[in-house]
Amino acid sequence: QRQMCIRDSKLMDCMGDPQVVFEADEKTLRQTGILNKRQLRSIVENHDMVLAETIINNCRTLGISIMTKADTCYPDRAKYFDDAPIVLYYKGTPERKKRAVGIVGARRCTQETKKQVIKIISQYVSKGYSIISGMAKGVDSYAHTVAINNDGYTVAIVGDGLDICYPSEHDKLMQKIQNKGLSLIHI
């Protein structure tokens, strides 16, 4: 996955636009020096928009938005990593905040840990920080909940897709995050 993201980023840097990559002939792609023979053949032989159109239509149906590295709402800090994803899928409202804090922790935690999470996240939210976590049970969900309850902005990085809520008991939390923040998955 990491190597694929790096390769895709290099292609985008070299050719500037996904459409240009998609429409490029074999000679042009070979001249980039980025692709091996199998990758080159795969791009040349798959000049078909059916899959892309299917993905876009499915996203529209499910209320999922798509952002690319070229979009102004793509996180600035992420753009500088070689393996940053070219495409992000999301639900909610992207906000450009300069300050953010990520928090992840135990799924099963003590009441003391929960109190500390509430205290720390409340302080960050009061200072205007975005709260980023993974929407898992325990510390992650407490962080999102505290942010929402304090009118803060929170981002949930999810791994199962935006049409699937995991854990299932966080369905209401996921809805609140999408209404007051952003649920995000990268592909």
Side-chain angles (χ1 to χ4, degrees), residues 1-11 82-84:
Q1 178 91 18
R2 183 177 190 279
Q3 292 301 323
M4 186 171 69
C5 287
I6 292 171
R7 180 203 65 223
D8 293 348
S9 289
K10 286 180 179 178
L11 270 175
D82 288 340
D83 60 349

Side-chain angles (χ1 to χ4, degrees), residues 2-139:
R2 183 177 190 279
Q3 292 301 323
M4 186 171 69
C5 287
I6 292 171
R7 180 203 65 223
D8 293 348
S9 289
K10 286 180 179 178
L11 270 175
M12 290 298 298
D13 290 344
C14 180
M15 301 186 82
D17 184 276
Q19 187 74 26
V20 173
V21 174
F22 179 77
E23 293 174 350
D25 61 18
E26 184 174 349
K27 180 182 176 187
T28 303
L29 290 168
R30 190 179 314 108
Q31 288 174 342
T32 67
I34 296 168
L35 303 168
N36 63 35
K37 289 179 182 179
R38 184 185 55 77
Q39 294 164 339
L40 179 66
R41 188 174 49 250
S42 177
I43 291 174
V44 171
E45 291 175 359
N46 291 295
H47 281 260
D48 184 357
M49 291 297 289
V50 173
L51 178 59
E53 289 169 356
T54 300
I55 292 170
I56 290 169
N57 289 333
N58 288 342
C59 286
R60 282 187 188 128
T61 300
L62 296 168
I64 297 170
S65 299
I66 303 170
M67 83 172 72
T68 68
K69 283 176 100 173
D71 291 323
T72 58
C73 59
Y74 193 96
D76 285 336
R77 288 182 179 169
K79 288 180 183 179
Y80 299 108
F81 292 100
D82 288 340
D83 60 349
I86 300 264
V87 175
L88 295 172
Y89 298 89
Y90 68 95
K91 280 187 172 183
T93 306
E95 280 189 17
R96 295 195 52 82
K97 290 200 172 205
K98 292 188 184 226
R99 301 186 307 178
V101 64
I103 184 166
V104 293
R107 285 170 171 73
R108 294 183 184 164
C109 59
T110 65
Q111 286 299 314
E112 182 59 31
T113 300
K114 182 178 177 180
K115 286 179 189 175
Q116 289 299 316
V117 169
I118 292 169
K119 178 182 174 185
I120 291 167
I121 297 302
S122 296
Q123 290 172 351
Y124 275 110
V125 168
S126 71
K127 294 176 182 175
Y129 280 74
S130 297
I131 306 302
I132 303 169
S133 196
M135 210 179 78
K137 293 179 183 181
V139 170

